[in-house]
Structure formats: structure tokens, C-alpha cells
Amino acid sequence: METFPIFRTLRYVPEESKDKVIPDEDVLGTLLKVFQALFLNDLNKQSDILTILPEPVKSKYQDLLALQHQRVNLLENRHQQQCVFKPEEILYKTLGFSVARATSSLISAGRGVFITKGLVPKGAVVSMYPGTIYQKYEPIFFQSIGNPFIFRCLDGVLIDGNDKGISKVVYRSCSGRDRVGPLKMSDSTWLTSEIHNPLAVGQYVNNCSNDRAANVCYQEFEVPAVFPVELKQYLPNIAYSYAKQSPLRCVVLVALRDIKQGEELFSNYYTIVS
Ligand SMILES: C[S@@+](CC[C@H](N)C(=O)[O-])C[C@H]1O[C@@H](n2cnc3c(N)ncnc32)[C@H](O)[C@@H]1O
């Protein structure tokens, strides 16, 4: 009888990446830059979002929006030009590249992740690994059966990045639980075809092979307590258990070299892919 491993693909951050490829401040800086641009874009679509924000946050964005409109009017010489873009366009305008899922260049590997526009410089954060965060003592047995999207961090913390079945239900449930009034503390749109955070595709990156060297690597990151509350809605991770004290674990993928438009991303799973 065939024995089936619980974790079909259990990728992990290898010991050597304790020496992080880029400093945490750079990861944080990139996320803040992209999320703030996404938020301003959302405000342009729906300015009534401002009314639910605490006063200091509201005035910060009112000023930023006013500045943005001034700039657009100067450039375009038009009145009240609406500047609303798709999330992938915001990513391109902010970081100089966009990234998306498409059929992998590897035969029968399903989908993969590609640079669809622009150039990713070496050392840039190129995507995020979305999913529910489990401490190593938390139950994940049923979610893990036949699930190739489980990622293991150095300390045994697991991230379930599966966007289907029970994994999807669990993520949605945790995300609803952690809402603070109208404010979302995480992004659930990576479970749908309308992704709000275009970086949240890292779970679809395929494993490297002899003829496809890894061009990205995983790096762990803890979201600091000071992370702006209005930008948490773009974080594609949620803790399985509600833990007010512990910081939220994230995993980002960092470019190991310059990556050009049209190239597929490959990481090292450090496991045998079946
Ligand atoms: C986390 S998923 C990656 C996304 C997957 N390609 C998909 O479309 O769902 C991991 C699975 O992708 C496939 N895969 C990843 N790297 C591969 C490779 N180098 N060759 C063949 N299949 C691969 C395997 O089926 C593996 O279990």
C-alpha cells in the first residue's frame, strides 16, 4: 500500500538564510511604499473610506490626496482628473515591475509566477507568501492533507498558502474574526481572482531544477507593532489563533539577481517535489 506524506510540499527557509539577503527595514520600506500607493488608489475610487479612519490618519491621507491631485492637474493640465489604476499598475508605478500568475514554462507544473512588466533589480522584494500562520503546536492535520502549499519557517511556524478547500475557509474565518469594526486587519482577496495586493502570489512560485536556477529566495519577516493600521488590509497573512501580543509572521521572496520581463520565478523548495 502506498503511504502518503502529510505535507506534499513543505518548503522551508534554509538555515543559511538566517543571514538575511536584505535587511528587515528594506522589506518594511517596500511593503509600506506599495501598500500606501494601493491605499491612495483605493481612496481615489472610494473617498468615503476616509470617514472610518482615526483623525490623525484621516488628515495624513487628505493631505496626500490633495498633493496627488495637484500633481496630476499640473501634469495633465485637466481639472479633477481621476487617477484610479489597477493594482498591478500601482505596483509597476511604485517598484518598476509587475508580477502575476500564468501557465508555467515547465511542462505539467501547473501555474507559475512571471515578471509581466519591467525589471526586478537584485535584492528587491518581488512577492509575498500569503496564507494562514500556524504555530508549530497548532492543529493543521486536515488542512495539510494533499496540500502542496505549506511553507515551513526556521522555527517550525507553518504558512498554509492554499487558496482552495478547507484552507480557504480557515483563512476567511480567521480574517473575519480579526476585523476591528470596519477596518480589515488582513487581505483575503488573494483567495479570489480580484487580487488587491499584487505581490500576494508567492505561493505559486515553482521549484528550481537543473536547467532552471533559483532566481528568488524566501526571507522571513515579522510585521512590527507600529505597522499603520489602515495598511494592514493589504497584508495577505493571518494568525490561526488570535494572539494580540505576538507579531505577525510574513515571508517575502527576494530577487537573487536582476530579473527581466517575461522571466518565470523559481525558488528552492529544499524538498523533493512529487
Ligand atoms: C506550491 S505549488 C506551486 C504552484 C503550482 N505550480 C500550481 O499551479 O498549483 C507546488 C507544486 O507545483 C508543482 N511544481 C513545482 N515545481 C515544480 C517543478 N520544478 N517541476 C514540476 N512540478 C513542479 C508540483 O506539483 C508541486 O507540488
Side-chain angles (χ1 to χ4, degrees), residues 116-157:
T116 49
K117 205 171 163 194
L119 175 102
V120 183
K122 181 180 173 180
V125 172
V126 67
S127 64
M128 302 181 76
Y129 198 102
T132 308
I133 312 291
Y134 291 82
Q135 297 306 313
K136 59 179 174 192
Y137 50 83
E138 289 176 334
I140 192 174
F141 180 80
F142 290 110
Q143 296 88 312
S144 69
I145 297 172
N147 181 353
F149 290 95
I150 298 197
F151 184 97
R152 183 169 54 194
C153 299
L154 279 172
D155 57 1
V157 164

mmCIF file of all heavy atoms in Angstrom, residues 116-157:
data_model
loop_
_atom_site.group_PDB
_atom_site.id
_atom_site.type_symbol
_atom_site.label_atom_id
_atom_site.label_comp_id
_atom_site.label_asym_id
_atom_site.label_seq_id
_atom_site.Cartn_x
_atom_site.Cartn_y
_atom_site.Cartn_z
ATOM 1 N N THR A 116 5.708 40.307 -15.409
ATOM 2 C CA THR A 116 4.909 40.617 -16.599
ATOM 3 C C THR A 116 5.314 41.951 -17.237
ATOM 4 O O THR A 116 5.010 42.202 -18.402
ATOM 5 C CB THR A 116 3.412 40.658 -16.237
ATOM 6 O OG1 THR A 116 3.261 41.484 -15.079
ATOM 7 C CG2 THR A 116 2.883 39.271 -15.939
ATOM 8 N N LYS A 117 5.987 42.797 -16.473
ATOM 9 C CA LYS A 117 6.375 44.107 -16.992
ATOM 10 C C LYS A 117 7.553 44.639 -16.182
ATOM 11 O O LYS A 117 7.593 44.421 -14.962
ATOM 12 C CB LYS A 117 5.179 45.055 -16.842
ATOM 13 C CG LYS A 117 5.154 46.206 -17.781
ATOM 14 C CD LYS A 117 3.820 46.909 -17.671
ATOM 15 C CE LYS A 117 3.912 48.283 -18.285
ATOM 16 N NZ LYS A 117 2.782 49.118 -17.924
ATOM 17 N N GLY A 118 8.482 45.322 -16.838
ATOM 18 C CA GLY A 118 9.563 45.995 -16.120
ATOM 19 C C GLY A 118 10.715 45.071 -15.748
ATOM 20 O O GLY A 118 10.858 43.966 -16.279
ATOM 21 N N LEU A 119 11.516 45.535 -14.801
ATOM 22 C CA LEU A 119 12.713 44.809 -14.388
ATOM 23 C C LEU A 119 12.790 44.787 -12.859
ATOM 24 O O LEU A 119 12.580 45.809 -12.222
ATOM 25 C CB LEU A 119 13.956 45.527 -14.942
ATOM 26 C CG LEU A 119 15.281 44.936 -14.495
ATOM 27 C CD1 LEU A 119 15.894 44.075 -15.590
ATOM 28 C CD2 LEU A 119 16.255 46.010 -14.074
ATOM 29 N N VAL A 120 13.100 43.605 -12.313
ATOM 30 C CA VAL A 120 13.264 43.496 -10.858
ATOM 31 C C VAL A 120 14.759 43.575 -10.567
ATOM 32 O O VAL A 120 15.523 42.727 -11.024
ATOM 33 C CB VAL A 120 12.745 42.139 -10.338
ATOM 34 C CG1 VAL A 120 12.859 42.065 -8.828
ATOM 35 C CG2 VAL A 120 11.325 41.890 -10.783
ATOM 36 N N PRO A 121 15.199 44.568 -9.821
ATOM 37 C CA PRO A 121 16.628 44.610 -9.501
ATOM 38 C C PRO A 121 16.985 43.588 -8.422
ATOM 39 O O PRO A 121 16.135 43.246 -7.572
ATOM 40 C CB PRO A 121 16.843 46.036 -8.993
ATOM 41 C CG PRO A 121 15.507 46.521 -8.576
ATOM 42 C CD PRO A 121 14.459 45.713 -9.282
ATOM 43 N N LYS A 122 18.199 43.089 -8.458
ATOM 44 C CA LYS A 122 18.686 42.155 -7.432
ATOM 45 C C LYS A 122 18.431 42.751 -6.038
ATOM 46 O O LYS A 122 18.671 43.940 -5.820
ATOM 47 C CB LYS A 122 20.196 41.938 -7.660
ATOM 48 C CG LYS A 122 20.822 40.985 -6.683
ATOM 49 C CD LYS A 122 22.294 40.821 -6.976
ATOM 50 C CE LYS A 122 22.920 39.986 -5.871
ATOM 51 N NZ LYS A 122 24.333 39.761 -6.040
ATOM 52 N N GLY A 123 17.923 41.924 -5.135
ATOM 53 C CA GLY A 123 17.705 42.387 -3.760
ATOM 54 C C GLY A 123 16.339 43.010 -3.525
ATOM 55 O O GLY A 123 16.042 43.428 -2.408
ATOM 56 N N ALA A 124 15.496 43.055 -4.583
ATOM 57 C CA ALA A 124 14.164 43.654 -4.384
ATOM 58 C C ALA A 124 13.181 42.600 -3.867
ATOM 59 O O ALA A 124 13.300 41.421 -4.182
ATOM 60 C CB ALA A 124 13.638 44.226 -5.701
ATOM 61 N N VAL A 125 12.202 43.056 -3.087
ATOM 62 C CA VAL A 125 11.094 42.166 -2.667
ATOM 63 C C VAL A 125 10.213 42.007 -3.898
ATOM 64 O O VAL A 125 9.702 42.978 -4.440
ATOM 65 C CB VAL A 125 10.287 42.808 -1.513
ATOM 66 C CG1 VAL A 125 9.039 41.996 -1.211
ATOM 67 C CG2 VAL A 125 11.152 42.932 -0.269
ATOM 68 N N VAL A 126 10.038 40.760 -4.330
ATOM 69 C CA VAL A 126 9.332 40.546 -5.596
ATOM 70 C C VAL A 126 7.936 39.953 -5.380
ATOM 71 O O VAL A 126 7.061 40.103 -6.226
ATOM 72 C CB VAL A 126 10.233 39.724 -6.552
ATOM 73 C CG1 VAL A 126 10.458 38.327 -6.086
ATOM 74 C CG2 VAL A 126 9.712 39.684 -7.945
ATOM 75 N N SER A 127 7.717 39.309 -4.245
ATOM 76 C CA SER A 127 6.350 38.887 -3.893
ATOM 77 C C SER A 127 6.279 38.468 -2.434
ATOM 78 O O SER A 127 7.286 38.475 -1.722
ATOM 79 C CB SER A 127 5.813 37.795 -4.823
ATOM 80 O OG SER A 127 6.549 36.640 -4.712
ATOM 81 N N MET A 128 5.054 38.116 -2.013
ATOM 82 C CA MET A 128 4.815 37.700 -0.628
ATOM 83 C C MET A 128 4.195 36.312 -0.644
ATOM 84 O O MET A 128 3.541 35.939 -1.621
ATOM 85 C CB MET A 128 3.839 38.658 0.065
ATOM 86 C CG MET A 128 4.307 40.089 0.079
ATOM 87 S SD MET A 128 3.136 41.172 0.930
ATOM 88 C CE MET A 128 3.462 40.794 2.644
ATOM 89 N N TYR A 129 4.365 35.570 0.442
ATOM 90 C CA TYR A 129 3.783 34.236 0.544
ATOM 91 C C TYR A 129 2.508 34.345 1.392
ATOM 92 O O TYR A 129 2.578 34.416 2.619
ATOM 93 C CB TYR A 129 4.778 33.265 1.197
ATOM 94 C CG TYR A 129 4.424 31.817 0.948
ATOM 95 C CD1 TYR A 129 5.096 31.074 -0.012
ATOM 96 C CD2 TYR A 129 3.390 31.199 1.643
ATOM 97 C CE1 TYR A 129 4.750 29.752 -0.274
ATOM 98 C CE2 TYR A 129 3.038 29.887 1.383
ATOM 99 C CZ TYR A 129 3.726 29.176 0.425
ATOM 100 O OH TYR A 129 3.375 27.872 0.168
ATOM 101 N N PRO A 130 1.336 34.369 0.742
ATOM 102 C CA PRO A 130 0.113 34.551 1.523
ATOM 103 C C PRO A 130 -0.287 33.284 2.271
ATOM 104 O O PRO A 130 0.155 32.186 1.934
ATOM 105 C CB PRO A 130 -0.932 34.892 0.457
ATOM 106 C CG PRO A 130 -0.440 34.275 -0.789
ATOM 107 C CD PRO A 130 1.054 34.198 -0.693
ATOM 108 N N GLY A 131 -1.142 33.434 3.266
ATOM 109 C CA GLY A 131 -1.678 32.235 3.931
ATOM 110 C C GLY A 131 -1.879 32.383 5.421
ATOM 111 O O GLY A 131 -1.483 33.382 6.039
ATOM 112 N N THR A 132 -2.492 31.336 5.997
ATOM 113 C CA THR A 132 -2.739 31.292 7.439
ATOM 114 C C THR A 132 -1.459 30.860 8.150
ATOM 115 O O THR A 132 -0.790 29.922 7.721
ATOM 116 C CB THR A 132 -3.867 30.282 7.751
ATOM 117 O OG1 THR A 132 -4.981 30.591 6.932
ATOM 118 C CG2 THR A 132 -4.278 30.328 9.211
ATOM 119 N N ILE A 133 -1.144 31.541 9.263
ATOM 120 C CA ILE A 133 0.078 31.261 10.023
ATOM 121 C C ILE A 133 -0.251 30.352 11.202
ATOM 122 O O ILE A 133 -1.074 30.722 12.057
ATOM 123 C CB ILE A 133 0.685 32.577 10.589
ATOM 124 C CG1 ILE A 133 0.769 33.666 9.518
ATOM 125 C CG2 ILE A 133 2.027 32.327 11.269
ATOM 126 C CD1 ILE A 133 1.749 33.443 8.427
ATOM 127 N N TYR A 134 0.390 29.191 11.248
ATOM 128 C CA TYR A 134 0.199 28.237 12.351
ATOM 129 C C TYR A 134 1.465 28.155 13.184
ATOM 130 O O TYR A 134 2.561 27.953 12.627
ATOM 131 C CB TYR A 134 -0.075 26.835 11.800
ATOM 132 C CG TYR A 134 -1.408 26.676 11.117
ATOM 133 C CD1 TYR A 134 -1.578 27.071 9.789
ATOM 134 C CD2 TYR A 134 -2.494 26.116 11.781
ATOM 135 C CE1 TYR A 134 -2.801 26.913 9.152
ATOM 136 C CE2 TYR A 134 -3.719 25.948 11.138
ATOM 137 C CZ TYR A 134 -3.869 26.355 9.837
ATOM 138 O OH TYR A 134 -5.076 26.206 9.203
ATOM 139 N N GLN A 135 1.320 28.285 14.508
ATOM 140 C CA GLN A 135 2.452 27.979 15.394
ATOM 141 C C GLN A 135 2.662 26.477 15.310
ATOM 142 O O GLN A 135 1.737 25.734 14.961
ATOM 143 C CB GLN A 135 2.142 28.409 16.830
ATOM 144 C CG GLN A 135 1.932 29.901 16.985
ATOM 145 C CD GLN A 135 3.085 30.735 16.445
ATOM 146 O OE1 GLN A 135 4.248 30.454 16.734
ATOM 147 N NE2 GLN A 135 2.769 31.736 15.639
ATOM 148 N N LYS A 136 3.868 25.979 15.683
ATOM 149 C CA LYS A 136 4.135 24.567 15.406
ATOM 150 C C LYS A 136 3.293 23.609 16.242
ATOM 151 O O LYS A 136 3.144 22.456 15.873
ATOM 152 C CB LYS A 136 5.622 24.228 15.485
ATOM 153 C CG LYS A 136 6.285 24.492 16.779
ATOM 154 C CD LYS A 136 7.739 24.068 16.638
ATOM 155 C CE LYS A 136 8.512 24.447 17.867
ATOM 156 N NZ LYS A 136 9.937 24.332 17.683
ATOM 157 N N TYR A 137 2.687 24.100 17.322
ATOM 158 C CA TYR A 137 1.841 23.243 18.159
ATOM 159 C C TYR A 137 0.364 23.322 17.742
ATOM 160 O O TYR A 137 -0.483 22.679 18.341
ATOM 161 C CB TYR A 137 1.999 23.628 19.632
ATOM 162 C CG TYR A 137 1.848 25.122 19.878
ATOM 163 C CD1 TYR A 137 0.589 25.700 20.014
ATOM 164 C CD2 TYR A 137 2.970 25.947 19.939
ATOM 165 C CE1 TYR A 137 0.445 27.060 20.208
ATOM 166 C CE2 TYR A 137 2.823 27.316 20.131
ATOM 167 C CZ TYR A 137 1.566 27.870 20.262
ATOM 168 O OH TYR A 137 1.426 29.210 20.430
ATOM 169 N N GLU A 138 0.030 24.118 16.733
ATOM 170 C CA GLU A 138 -1.383 24.278 16.376
ATOM 171 C C GLU A 138 -1.824 23.229 15.347
ATOM 172 O O GLU A 138 -1.025 22.800 14.507
ATOM 173 C CB GLU A 138 -1.631 25.699 15.849
ATOM 174 C CG GLU A 138 -1.538 26.717 16.976
ATOM 175 C CD GLU A 138 -1.671 28.154 16.533
ATOM 176 O OE1 GLU A 138 -1.360 28.473 15.361
ATOM 177 O OE2 GLU A 138 -2.051 28.981 17.365
ATOM 178 N N PRO A 139 -3.099 22.819 15.397
ATOM 179 C CA PRO A 139 -3.544 21.710 14.537
ATOM 180 C C PRO A 139 -3.700 22.110 13.074
ATOM 181 O O PRO A 139 -4.403 23.051 12.746
ATOM 182 C CB PRO A 139 -4.909 21.351 15.144
ATOM 183 C CG PRO A 139 -5.383 22.601 15.790
ATOM 184 C CD PRO A 139 -4.165 23.345 16.253
ATOM 185 N N ILE A 140 -3.023 21.347 12.211
ATOM 186 C CA ILE A 140 -3.079 21.645 10.769
ATOM 187 C C ILE A 140 -3.297 20.358 9.967
ATOM 188 O O ILE A 140 -3.262 20.365 8.740
ATOM 189 C CB ILE A 140 -1.785 22.401 10.337
ATOM 190 C CG1 ILE A 140 -1.943 22.988 8.930
ATOM 191 C CG2 ILE A 140 -0.550 21.533 10.476
ATOM 192 C CD1 ILE A 140 -0.820 23.851 8.443
ATOM 193 N N PHE A 141 -3.543 19.246 10.678
ATOM 194 C CA PHE A 141 -3.586 17.946 10.017
ATOM 195 C C PHE A 141 -4.530 17.932 8.801
ATOM 196 O O PHE A 141 -4.112 17.617 7.690
ATOM 197 C CB PHE A 141 -3.986 16.847 11.013
ATOM 198 C CG PHE A 141 -4.044 15.490 10.371
ATOM 199 C CD1 PHE A 141 -2.893 14.757 10.150
ATOM 200 C CD2 PHE A 141 -5.254 14.965 9.945
ATOM 201 C CE1 PHE A 141 -2.940 13.520 9.524
ATOM 202 C CE2 PHE A 141 -5.313 13.728 9.321
ATOM 203 C CZ PHE A 141 -4.155 13.008 9.110
ATOM 204 N N PHE A 142 -5.799 18.286 8.992
ATOM 205 C CA PHE A 142 -6.764 18.166 7.890
ATOM 206 C C PHE A 142 -6.441 19.135 6.753
ATOM 207 O O PHE A 142 -6.571 18.804 5.584
ATOM 208 C CB PHE A 142 -8.204 18.346 8.393
ATOM 209 C CG PHE A 142 -8.639 17.170 9.223
ATOM 210 C CD1 PHE A 142 -8.820 17.302 10.588
ATOM 211 C CD2 PHE A 142 -8.817 15.918 8.649
ATOM 212 C CE1 PHE A 142 -9.184 16.210 11.358
ATOM 213 C CE2 PHE A 142 -9.179 14.824 9.414
ATOM 214 C CZ PHE A 142 -9.364 14.963 10.777
ATOM 215 N N GLN A 143 -5.996 20.348 7.132
ATOM 216 C CA GLN A 143 -5.650 21.331 6.109
ATOM 217 C C GLN A 143 -4.450 20.875 5.281
ATOM 218 O O GLN A 143 -4.267 21.303 4.146
ATOM 219 C CB GLN A 143 -5.302 22.684 6.742
ATOM 220 C CG GLN A 143 -6.423 23.378 7.471
ATOM 221 C CD GLN A 143 -6.508 22.966 8.926
ATOM 222 O OE1 GLN A 143 -6.481 21.783 9.246
ATOM 223 N NE2 GLN A 143 -6.627 23.923 9.819
ATOM 224 N N SER A 144 -3.624 20.024 5.871
ATOM 225 C CA SER A 144 -2.353 19.682 5.202
ATOM 226 C C SER A 144 -2.450 18.469 4.277
ATOM 227 O O SER A 144 -1.548 18.241 3.473
ATOM 228 C CB SER A 144 -1.277 19.421 6.254
ATOM 229 O OG SER A 144 -1.571 18.229 6.945
ATOM 230 N N ILE A 145 -3.545 17.732 4.351
ATOM 231 C CA ILE A 145 -3.632 16.510 3.533
ATOM 232 C C ILE A 145 -3.663 16.870 2.041
ATOM 233 O O ILE A 145 -4.515 17.625 1.590
ATOM 234 C CB ILE A 145 -4.881 15.677 3.929
ATOM 235 C CG1 ILE A 145 -4.746 15.211 5.388
ATOM 236 C CG2 ILE A 145 -5.047 14.479 2.998
ATOM 237 C CD1 ILE A 145 -5.990 14.560 5.947
ATOM 238 N N GLY A 146 -2.684 16.346 1.315
ATOM 239 C CA GLY A 146 -2.598 16.576 -0.138
ATOM 240 C C GLY A 146 -2.406 18.035 -0.499
ATOM 241 O O GLY A 146 -2.746 18.459 -1.603
ATOM 242 N N ASN A 147 -1.872 18.817 0.427
ATOM 243 C CA ASN A 147 -1.759 20.263 0.223
ATOM 244 C C ASN A 147 -0.320 20.629 -0.135
ATOM 245 O O ASN A 147 0.567 20.543 0.709
ATOM 246 C CB ASN A 147 -2.194 20.962 1.520
ATOM 247 C CG ASN A 147 -2.140 22.476 1.424
ATOM 248 O OD1 ASN A 147 -1.657 23.034 0.448
ATOM 249 N ND2 ASN A 147 -2.647 23.138 2.450
ATOM 250 N N PRO A 148 -0.068 21.060 -1.382
ATOM 251 C CA PRO A 148 1.322 21.368 -1.763
ATOM 252 C C PRO A 148 1.752 22.794 -1.416
ATOM 253 O O PRO A 148 2.830 23.222 -1.801
ATOM 254 C CB PRO A 148 1.299 21.170 -3.282
ATOM 255 C CG PRO A 148 -0.089 21.504 -3.677
ATOM 256 C CD PRO A 148 -0.993 21.235 -2.509
ATOM 257 N N PHE A 149 0.905 23.540 -0.693
ATOM 258 C CA PHE A 149 1.199 24.967 -0.471
ATOM 259 C C PHE A 149 1.667 25.280 0.951
ATOM 260 O O PHE A 149 1.566 26.415 1.385
ATOM 261 C CB PHE A 149 -0.050 25.802 -0.781
ATOM 262 C CG PHE A 149 -0.391 25.852 -2.243
ATOM 263 C CD1 PHE A 149 -1.304 24.982 -2.788
ATOM 264 C CD2 PHE A 149 0.222 26.775 -3.080
ATOM 265 C CE1 PHE A 149 -1.631 25.028 -4.129
ATOM 266 C CE2 PHE A 149 -0.088 26.833 -4.426
ATOM 267 C CZ PHE A 149 -1.016 25.948 -4.956
ATOM 268 N N ILE A 150 2.126 24.241 1.675
ATOM 269 C CA ILE A 150 2.543 24.536 3.052
ATOM 270 C C ILE A 150 4.022 24.903 3.112
ATOM 271 O O ILE A 150 4.868 24.229 2.526
ATOM 272 C CB ILE A 150 2.218 23.360 3.977
ATOM 273 C CG1 ILE A 150 0.691 23.197 3.951
ATOM 274 C CG2 ILE A 150 2.738 23.609 5.401
ATOM 275 C CD1 ILE A 150 0.096 22.412 5.028
ATOM 276 N N PHE A 151 4.275 25.967 3.813
ATOM 277 C CA PHE A 151 5.633 26.514 3.920
ATOM 278 C C PHE A 151 6.077 26.456 5.373
ATOM 279 O O PHE A 151 5.322 26.829 6.269
ATOM 280 C CB PHE A 151 5.594 27.980 3.462
ATOM 281 C CG PHE A 151 6.931 28.630 3.427
ATOM 282 C CD1 PHE A 151 7.636 28.706 2.240
ATOM 283 C CD2 PHE A 151 7.497 29.141 4.578
ATOM 284 C CE1 PHE A 151 8.892 29.290 2.200
ATOM 285 C CE2 PHE A 151 8.751 29.723 4.552
ATOM 286 C CZ PHE A 151 9.442 29.796 3.352
ATOM 287 N N ARG A 152 7.289 25.965 5.605
ATOM 288 C CA ARG A 152 7.778 25.898 6.988
ATOM 289 C C ARG A 152 8.895 26.911 7.224
ATOM 290 O O ARG A 152 9.871 26.963 6.474
ATOM 291 C CB ARG A 152 8.303 24.495 7.305
ATOM 292 C CG ARG A 152 8.754 24.389 8.763
ATOM 293 C CD ARG A 152 9.019 22.979 9.185
ATOM 294 N NE ARG A 152 9.961 22.316 8.297
ATOM 295 C CZ ARG A 152 10.172 21.003 8.276
ATOM 296 N NH1 ARG A 152 9.509 20.224 9.072
ATOM 297 N NH2 ARG A 152 11.052 20.484 7.457
ATOM 298 N N CYS A 153 8.746 27.698 8.275
ATOM 299 C CA CYS A 153 9.777 28.685 8.640
ATOM 300 C C CYS A 153 10.836 28.012 9.501
ATOM 301 O O CYS A 153 10.671 26.878 9.945
ATOM 302 C CB CYS A 153 9.155 29.845 9.408
ATOM 303 S SG CYS A 153 7.921 30.742 8.470
ATOM 304 N N LEU A 154 11.920 28.739 9.759
ATOM 305 C CA LEU A 154 13.056 28.199 10.522
ATOM 306 C C LEU A 154 12.644 27.674 11.896
ATOM 307 O O LEU A 154 13.149 26.667 12.357
ATOM 308 C CB LEU A 154 14.083 29.310 10.746
ATOM 309 C CG LEU A 154 15.023 29.602 9.588
ATOM 310 C CD1 LEU A 154 15.841 30.829 9.890
ATOM 311 C CD2 LEU A 154 15.909 28.405 9.304
ATOM 312 N N ASP A 155 11.711 28.367 12.552
ATOM 313 C CA ASP A 155 11.301 27.972 13.904
ATOM 314 C C ASP A 155 10.123 27.008 13.910
ATOM 315 O O ASP A 155 9.524 26.777 14.954
ATOM 316 C CB ASP A 155 10.966 29.219 14.739
ATOM 317 C CG ASP A 155 9.882 30.083 14.081
ATOM 318 O OD1 ASP A 155 9.397 29.701 13.002
ATOM 319 O OD2 ASP A 155 9.536 31.124 14.657
ATOM 320 N N GLY A 156 9.755 26.448 12.762
ATOM 321 C CA GLY A 156 8.679 25.459 12.710
ATOM 322 C C GLY A 156 7.295 26.058 12.480
ATOM 323 O O GLY A 156 6.320 25.322 12.324
ATOM 324 N N VAL A 157 7.216 27.396 12.440
ATOM 325 C CA VAL A 157 5.938 28.036 12.108
ATOM 326 C C VAL A 157 5.574 27.652 10.666
ATOM 327 O O VAL A 157 6.447 27.595 9.800
ATOM 328 C CB VAL A 157 6.066 29.582 12.257
ATOM 329 C CG1 VAL A 157 4.930 30.312 11.571
ATOM 330 C CG2 VAL A 157 6.120 29.959 13.730
#
